[in-house]
Amino acid sequence: EAQVTQNPRYLITVTGKKLTVTCSQNMNHEYMSWYRQDPGLGLRQIYYSMNVEVTDKGDVPEGYKVSRKEKRNFPLILESPSPNQTSLYFCASSQFSNTEAFFGQGTRLTVV
Amino acid sequence: QKEVEQNSGPLSVPEGAIASLNCTYSDRGSQSFFWYRQYSGKSPELIMFIYSNGDKEDGRFTAQLNKASQYVSLLIRDSQPSDSATYLCAVNGRQAGTALIFGKGTTLSVSS
């Protein structure tokens, strides 16, 4: 089954404790991205990757890191989480940047 | 700043009626247009995509695109209570790596 898998689905952590949210896709897609979704603000892109070892900032990259060492994986790293990073996070993949995006199940992150 | 605008709603329609959802975009160079449905707390799922001016029909859904007016719409015929969700319009530009820009979504409520 074609899918994008994120883990964990729910995470509560404390300020400053490094965390990683994993994302994996099995569709051999070139393009992957991370979004955060907040009430009233909609979906905003954090980082994207056009291919292995190629990543770039989206609209709200501050406080986040990513890497793309393999085509299928695109982890999101929060080196020192803060409460304003409490949000619902989605990973997405698509064949190219302008084609249909498939979303993971989402990760609800709470930073206290 | 590239923008995608949607009426936040809620849009309320009775069961069996036609629901009309609208979206405008600011980047005249946009090439790809998508409608996603998102249930509360769930990930967005693609309903329709459209690339050319005119109408595209898929079952009860019709997407309409007018590039001259920078306007894209989604019609849902014979609306069902299960159609109650938030509908996200997404637009993409022609350049490689251009991210999908999402509107903030329109909440649709279908009453039985």
Side-chain angles (χ1 to χ4, degrees):
Chain A
E1 179 189 356
Q3 59 185 3
V4 179
T5 303
Q6 285 179 238
N7 280 296
R9 294 289 310 279
Y10 301 92
L11 179 60
I12 301 174
T13 190
V14 297
T15 299
K17 185 177 181 181
K18 181 179 178 180
L19 66 92
T20 299
V21 184
T22 63
C23 174
S24 181
Q25 52 97 0
N26 63 359
M27 295 169 278
N28 201 37
H29 283 166
E30 303 280 327
Y31 191 89
M32 297 185 74
S33 57
W34 276 101
Y35 291 87
R36 62 179 287 173
Q37 188 174 39
D38 302 288
L41 297 178
L43 278 164
R44 295 179 292 167
Q45 194 183 53
I46 303 170
Y47 267 95
Y48 65 91
S49 170
M50 294 180 65
N51 212 324
V52 175
E53 303 292 0
V54 180
T55 63
D56 210 343
K57 297 176 181 179
D59 295 323
V60 288
E62 292 76 21
Y64 304 94
K65 286 176 56 178
V66 294
S67 67
R68 187 97 179 270
K69 293 182 169 56
E70 303 167 283
K71 195 172 189 178
R72 63 184 292 124
N73 296 323
F74 190 44
L76 179 70
I77 302 159
L78 284 73
E79 294 271 6
S80 183
S82 62
N84 65 11
Q85 293 178 297
T86 293
S87 187
L88 179 59
Y89 291 86
F90 290 104
C91 178
S93 78
S94 55
Q95 184 56 47
F96 304 111
S97 62
N98 61 348
T99 55
E100 173 190 357
F102 294 84
F103 285 82
Q105 313 97 304
T107 296
R108 187 167 293 281
L109 172 66
T110 302
V111 183
V112 298
Chain B
Q1 177 76 10
K2 298 171 185 174
E3 294 181 344
V4 177
E5 300 286 342
Q6 295 181 255
N7 189 324
S8 62
L11 174 65
S12 298
V13 300
E15 184 175 358
I18 296 175
S20 178
L21 304 160
N22 304 314
C23 172
T24 59
Y25 58 95
S26 62
D27 183 3
R28 189 170 287 278
S30 296
Q31 296 290 300
S32 309
F33 306 87
F34 305 87
W35 283 100
Y36 285 83
R37 177 176 63 199
Q38 186 177 27
Y39 294 111
S40 181
K42 302 296 185 182
S43 58
E45 56 177 330
L46 184 75
I47 298 175
M48 298 277 296
F49 63 87
I50 185 167
Y51 300 139
S52 304
N53 275 331
D55 295 358
K56 180 180 179 182
E57 187 174 319
D58 184 1
R60 296 187 296 114
F61 299 96
T62 299
Q64 299 175 316
L65 175 61
N66 184 326
K67 288 187 178 180
S69 299
Q70 295 176 237
Y71 176 93
V72 57
S73 65
L74 179 70
L75 300 177
I76 306 174
R77 290 180 300 280
D78 189 24
S79 295
Q80 301 296 309
S82 59
D83 294 326
S84 298
T86 296
Y87 290 80
L88 305 173
C89 173
V91 174
N92 192 286
R94 77 180 80 192
Q95 293 180 331
T98 306
L100 274 181
I101 306 297
F102 284 84
K104 295 179 182 178
T106 298
T107 300
L108 172 66
S109 177
V110 181
S111 56
S112 57

